[in-house]
Amino acid sequence: MYAAAEEKDVMLQDGVWTRFFPAVEHARTEIENGTIGEVVLVQSDFFDPIYAIQAVPLGFGADAVPTSFVATGRYARGAIVEFGEDKCAVLTFPPRNSELPEVTELVGTKGRITLERPAHCPTRLSIRIPPPNGVPSQYRTGNAPAPLHTFEYPLPRTVSMRHASPNQHGFLYQAEAIHRCLAAGLHQCPQYGKEESLHAMHLLTEIYKANPPIPRR
């Protein structure tokens, strides 16, 4: 789809709006800057699998090659995806009507980033960085947690929507990003480009192949 769009000098952007929230862009910047070290574990949940799966290339990058898949469950589903011997993603897809956690955790060798509930459209980001002595805080200071830094990103007040779903006003972030990219002559948005989109779809395909979903009744 992206290639066809580029040939016609237009944009065709994957609609994973999660990636355009300021909290998620902040998380990406912190990962790229090495704030939490090398990401070794991604944990995410949502009833629509693609919103949990998109966290995998966010944490590991679009060039991370999956080496094994384990998928299980029928109505409550889950998957573990390994990337070599030192990285994995734990993804759960609870039923839509369940009290799901809806949190994304990006665990690194130096700290942890949490996209707080609702993680598919978050307005809050938490970063936990223990002191640099190589020992996690909970094992060094009597279970005291690592120092916590929280960042709030309130939704824009310039959008009015009747009967909106939680944080649905945040679609504005993707719309604004697309306008900026079009004005700059870009064919895709850096927040969620072709490679990451294809990577996430590949993961979704392999998970479904390992454990086909039950059709909705």
Side-chain angles (χ1 to χ4, degrees):
M1 291 192 302
Y2 283 95
E6 291 171 8
E7 291 173 1
K8 297 179 181 179
D9 198 29
V10 297
M11 173 181 284
L12 183 59
Q13 176 66 42
D14 197 338
V16 178
W17 62 314
T18 302
R19 288 303 195 86
F20 297 85
F21 275 73
V24 180
E25 295 206 60
H26 185 168
R28 179 192 287 276
T29 298
E30 297 291 354
I31 291 169
E32 292 176 349
N33 289 343
T35 302
I36 61 169
E38 182 180 9
V39 177
V40 294
L41 176 66
V42 173
Q43 294 178 306
S44 190
D45 71 286
F46 197 58
F47 55 78
D48 185 339
I50 195 61
Y51 288 103
I53 291 171
Q54 62 79 30
V56 178
L58 175 66
F60 297 144
D63 56 350
V65 179
T67 52
S68 71
F69 293 85
V70 177
T72 186
R74 302 302 286 167
Y75 291 103
R77 300 166 51 78
I80 298 175
V81 185
E82 289 186 318
F83 297 84
E85 298 180 351
D86 59 351
K87 298 181 178 67
C88 80
V90 179
L91 309 168
T92 54
F93 319 126
R96 178 183 289 268
N97 61 350
S98 64
E99 183 58 28
L100 64 163
E102 201 177 344
V103 171
T104 292
E105 300 273 14
L106 303 154
V107 181
T109 55
K110 297 179 180 179
R112 173 163 56 103
I113 293 173
T114 305
L115 291 167
E116 306 285 359
R117 178 183 181 129
H120 83 287
C121 50
T123 58
R124 186 172 60 168
L125 172 81
S126 297
I127 302 178
R128 295 169 174 85
I129 306 291
N133 65 350
V135 181
S137 288
Q138 65 267 30
Y139 297 118
R140 183 176 50 82
T141 56
N143 283 333
L148 173 65
H149 304 276
T150 301
F151 303 86
E152 301 279 352
Y153 294 95
L155 290 171
R157 297 184 178 182
T158 55
V159 180
S160 177
M161 299 177 66
R162 297 183 61 186
H163 311 299
S165 299
N167 294 355
Q168 192 172 358
H169 302 76
F171 273 110
L172 177 67
Y173 297 130
Q174 182 168 5
E176 290 178 334
I178 288 173
H179 279 282
R180 291 194 300 269
C181 289
L182 288 173
L186 301 178
H187 297 291
Q188 54 183 298
C189 293
Q191 291 91 338
Y192 197 60
K194 174 183 176 181
E195 296 303 321
E196 287 193 75
S197 175
L198 293 176
H199 185 73
M201 292 306 298
H202 171 68
L203 295 177
L204 179 62
T205 299
E206 292 300 319
I207 290 170
Y208 277 179
K209 284 168 59 178
N211 185 34
I214 294 177
R216 289 185 180 180
R217 296 176 179 177

